[in-house]
Amino acid sequence: MVVSGGTSGIGEALAHTYLKRGDRVAVIGPNPDKGKSFLAAAAGLGAEERASFIRADLSLVSENERVVKEIEERFPVVDALVLCARFFRSYRRVTSEGFEHNFALYYLSRFLLGYGLVGLLEKAPSPVIMNVAGPGVDAGGIHWNDLGFEHGYDGWAAMFQGGKLNDLLGASFAAEHRGYRTRYVLNFPGGTATGFAGEFDPATAARIQEMLRYANPVEVGIAPIVAAIDAPPAEPLSAFFEGRRLSTQLPSFDQQEALRLDALTREVLAR
């Protein structure tokens, strides 16, 4: 199992769950101290030989490409790819490669890791990509003419756009013409009491604290994710919101918009 954002929050909880069950887990994160803590916890479980930490800033395209190469060199197969890395920003930030940070981390990284590792996934008996995002949400929209929010940036709008971009990513990945065996699952487990990574203005910080008051324990939050990883749905694409299965015929998964985004993404990455 490969887990992006696997040194904190839901990703970390999933990584520990599968280590305890005897699986081999590689987590990706930017913080070396958190990486050491993950490896120390694995050693405490007697799982040090099955645990790996890959340090990377996944907001950078070059780092995603490096991570894919490293995983290809170290592992012959990937059974599950879990995509959790996300970081809320109240204030707009542009990466050193010129991409708005939310767009880069929350969307481009998931695009690059999914397609980059699909060769290893296809070798597994029951491969799955678990994209922990916010499928089917009505709020927000895609700013097709300004995906990087150069004009009128808002942290919540950028986050909601990221969720919609991931809906279309799932639809595109699972499209019939791709012919992948790998199942693509979009899942929002609901608020979990693991924190909410980000840099917040005062109003947003207060809102986050209020949300966390009603959040579920992490073991409750990850239960539906674990279930879908262990027994991936038969359909090429499936989506779940707080345990409720969503129809993939919703506008969020529109095939024409998915093809549009896929073409635009490949054009942007080719520059």
Side-chain angles (χ1 to χ4, degrees):
M1 174 178 290
V2 175
V3 187
S4 73
T7 57
S8 62
I10 288 174
E12 181 182 26
L14 288 167
H16 287 307
T17 295
Y18 282 89
L19 281 177
K20 289 175 184 176
R21 286 170 41 163
D23 294 306
R24 183 178 298 275
V25 181
V27 302
I28 311 166
N31 188 317
D33 292 331
K34 288 186 176 182
K36 290 178 183 177
S37 295
F38 169 75
L39 294 175
L45 296 170
E48 59 267 37
E49 294 185 358
R50 294 185 285 103
S52 302
F53 168 65
I54 302 173
R55 183 183 180 184
D57 177 357
L58 293 178
S59 71
L60 298 176
V61 171
S62 58
E63 287 282 86
N64 283 275
E65 293 172 340
R66 176 182 63 80
V67 166
V68 168
K69 282 187 178 180
E70 182 171 340
I71 292 171
E72 288 176 333
E73 290 170 356
R74 294 175 61 181
F75 305 105
V77 62
V78 172
D79 296 279
L81 170 64
V82 183
L83 303 168
C84 292
R86 188 178 68 182
F87 194 86
F88 186 99
R89 289 192 178 276
S90 291
Y91 309 101
R92 187 174 185 267
R93 178 189 161 193
V94 176
T95 71
S96 60
E97 295 175 336
F99 295 111
E100 188 272 319
H101 190 268
N102 278 285
F103 178 73
L105 179 62
Y106 192 14
Y107 170 65
L108 282 183
S109 172
R110 300 184 186 213
F111 179 99
L112 290 161
L113 292 177
Y115 283 110
L117 295 175
V118 70
L120 295 182
L121 283 157
E122 290 290 290
K123 295 178 182 179
S126 186
V128 60
I129 296 176
M130 173 61 65
N131 189 330
V132 181
V137 174
D138 291 332
I142 297 176
H143 296 237
W144 288 104
N145 296 320
D146 187 15
L147 289 174
F149 284 90
E150 292 184 39
H151 309 285
Y153 178 83
D154 176 82
W156 290 103
M159 186 184 73
F160 285 133
Q161 174 179 266
K164 291 188 175 296
L165 295 177
N166 278 287
D167 285 354
L168 296 181
L169 170 57
S172 177
F173 185 96
E176 185 175 348
H177 70 276
R178 302 235 184 249
Y180 295 140
R181 293 172 49 253
T182 302
R183 296 315 187 217
Y184 206 103
V185 182
L186 291 150
N187 200 317
F188 176 68
T192 59
T194 59
F196 192 95
E199 292 181 354
F200 312 113
D201 59 30
T204 301
R207 180 175 175 182
I208 297 299
Q209 288 303 310
E210 183 65 18
M211 289 167 57
L212 290 175
R213 287 180 57 197
Y214 303 98
N216 289 320
V218 67
E219 59 271 17
V220 174
I222 67 171
I225 300 175
V226 170
I229 293 173
D230 290 348
E235 297 81 4
L237 173 68
S238 55
F240 299 84
F241 192 93
E242 295 184 340
R244 176 173 58 90
R245 187 155 187 169
L246 304 178
S247 169
T248 54
Q249 300 305 308
L250 291 171
S252 288
F253 311 104
D254 182 84
Q255 281 291 328
Q256 291 305 310
E257 289 204 336
L259 291 172
R260 177 185 181 184
L261 178 62
D262 183 79
L264 179 59
T265 303
R266 294 177 190 276
E267 179 183 334
V268 165
L269 290 172
R271 290 175 186 170

